[in-house]
């Protein structure tokens, strides 16, 4: 049966996220089961209580022109679409043959238990990548230091203020841009935020190309760590929280698939 999704703003996420919550333990169990079934390997890089922080790895299926991609989700515990999109992508198993994927489906599982952006100590992990204070970020960085360089990073997020999907693309070496392909793929499944200013930055058709002055900022997001250490090109994908959860998941899944097929060409 065809599922008809409401793609209208819900109008309930005012001054914060008041939408659906997820059982992160069960989502992570699904992810690990699907990853195992499709031949991924899994590494635990941090544990607290019964929760594991996992890094999943899927080798390329060819040795020719392989692109290495780091995909991360769930750094903000009130943004459920990211881990759900990671689950969908792994279950769908439609990866191009010449991409090697490093997928971290949830960087802040404790935040999800509390349905809050920050970790339990109140640290916004996505502002913690320059001089990390949190164990979660330190462990992620320690894991990153053991990995090869990536050709691309993709960070999966949501924004409760957004009027539609938008993204940041950082591409200081001016490689083939991805943002237009991503927006074209998302537009059929989720509205795109057409605002001229988003989060205080000039935007065009849902695309922000920030001027990155890294040294000015003491509070590096994860993307800045990738840019300075691991990947010179990447996108931060922002699904609009004030739309139904399946719409946001579809938006992130379409965005990742579009980025991968562009890179894999
Ligand atoms: Zn976020």
């Amino acid at each position: 049966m065809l599922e008809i999704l409401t793609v209208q703003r819900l109008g309930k996420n005012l001054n914060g996220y008041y939408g659906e919550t997820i059982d992160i333990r069960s989502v992570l169990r699904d992810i690990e089961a699907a990853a195992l079934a499709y031949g991924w390997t899994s590494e635990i890089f941090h544990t607290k209580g019964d929760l594991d922080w996992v890094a999943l790895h899927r080798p390329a299926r060819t040795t020719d022109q392989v692109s290495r991609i780091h995909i991360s989700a769930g750094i903000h515990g009130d943004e459920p679409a990211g881990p759900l999109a990671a689950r969908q992508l792994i279950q769908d198993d439609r990866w191009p043959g010449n991409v090697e994927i490093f997928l971290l489906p949830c960087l802040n599982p404790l935040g999800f238990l509390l349905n809050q952006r920050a970790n339990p100590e109140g640290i916004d992990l996505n502002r913690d990548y320059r001089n990390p204070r949190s164990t979660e970020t330190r462990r992620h960085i320690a894991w990153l230091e053991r990995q090869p360089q990536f050709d691309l990073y993709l960070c999966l997020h949501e924004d409760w203020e957004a009027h539609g999907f938008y993204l940041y693309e950082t591409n200081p070496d001016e490689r083939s841009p991805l943002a237009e392909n991503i927006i074209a793929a998302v537009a059929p499944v989720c509205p795109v935020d057409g605002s001229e200013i988003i989060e205080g930055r000039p935007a065009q058709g849902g695309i922000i190309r920030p001027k990155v002055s890294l040294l000015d900022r003491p509070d590096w997001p994860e993307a800045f760590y990738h840019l300075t250490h691991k990947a010179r090109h990447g996108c931060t994908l922002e699904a609009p929280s004030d739309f139904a959860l399946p719409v946001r998941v579809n938006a992130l899944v379409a965005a990742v698939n579009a980025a991968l097929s562009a890179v894999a060409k």
Side-chain angles (χ1 to χ4, degrees), residues 78-128:
D78 57 352
E79 299 177 7
L84 293 182
R87 180 175 71 180
Q88 187 74 50
L89 287 158
I90 293 185
Q91 290 175 342
D92 290 349
D93 196 44
R94 290 195 203 115
W95 310 92
N98 60 344
V99 296
E100 178 181 4
I101 308 283
F102 301 78
L103 175 57
L104 283 67
C106 189
L107 292 172
N108 182 17
L110 294 170
F112 279 91
L113 297 183
L114 302 165
N115 186 33
Q116 72 178 28
R117 179 179 171 94
N119 78 352
E121 288 75 46
I123 299 170
D124 183 341
L125 302 183
N126 204 37
R127 300 288 179 271
D128 198 36

Side-chain angles (χ1 to χ4, degrees), residues 27-192:
V27 173
L28 289 173
R29 273 196 301 272
D30 293 348
I31 287 173
E32 290 227 57
L36 192 66
Y38 286 114
W40 296 63
T41 54
S42 163
E43 181 186 343
I44 296 171
F45 62 91
H46 179 43
T47 299
K48 188 155 186 185
D50 67 334
L51 283 168
D52 292 331
W53 279 245
V54 291
L56 302 168
H57 177 239
R58 181 190 184 281
R61 302 299 194 242
T62 164
T63 50
D64 209 30
Q65 301 251 330
V66 171
S67 297
R68 286 200 192 101
I69 324 276
H70 181 282
I71 304 174
S72 55
I75 198 169
H76 289 140
D78 57 352
E79 299 177 7
L84 293 182
R87 180 175 71 180
Q88 187 74 50
L89 287 158
I90 293 185
Q91 290 175 342
D92 290 349
D93 196 44
R94 290 195 203 115
W95 310 92
N98 60 344
V99 296
E100 178 181 4
I101 308 283
F102 301 78
L103 175 57
L104 283 67
C106 189
L107 292 172
N108 182 17
L110 294 170
F112 279 91
L113 297 183
L114 302 165
N115 186 33
Q116 72 178 28
R117 179 179 171 94
N119 78 352
E121 288 75 46
I123 299 170
D124 183 341
L125 302 183
N126 204 37
R127 300 288 179 271
D128 198 36
Y129 278 79
R130 186 164 191 175
N131 300 301
R133 296 182 292 146
S134 68
T135 311
E136 294 92 326
T137 305
R138 285 202 192 109
R139 295 286 166 83
H140 181 207
I141 289 175
W143 175 85
L144 282 165
E145 284 170 347
R146 288 184 275 114
Q147 310 309 315
Q149 295 298 113
F150 305 116
D151 298 290
L152 184 74
Y153 70 83
L154 298 171
C155 300
L156 278 52
H157 283 260
E158 296 194 64
D159 181 347
W160 55 264
E161 290 173 294
H163 303 296
F165 178 90
Y166 68 92
L167 64 87
Y168 300 86
E169 179 167 25
T170 44
N171 187 11
D173 301 338
E174 300 190 1
R175 298 183 190 165
S176 297
L178 299 171
E180 284 79 5
N181 286 28
I182 293 173
I183 293 291
V186 170
V189 297
C190 176
V192 170

Side-chain angles (χ1 to χ4, degrees), residues 153 170 212-214 217 220-229:
Y153 70 83
T170 44
V212 184
S213 36
L214 297 173
R217 269 183 77 167
W220 282 7
E222 181 197 354
F224 282 19
Y225 183 87
H226 294 310
L227 276 171
T228 48
H229 292 78

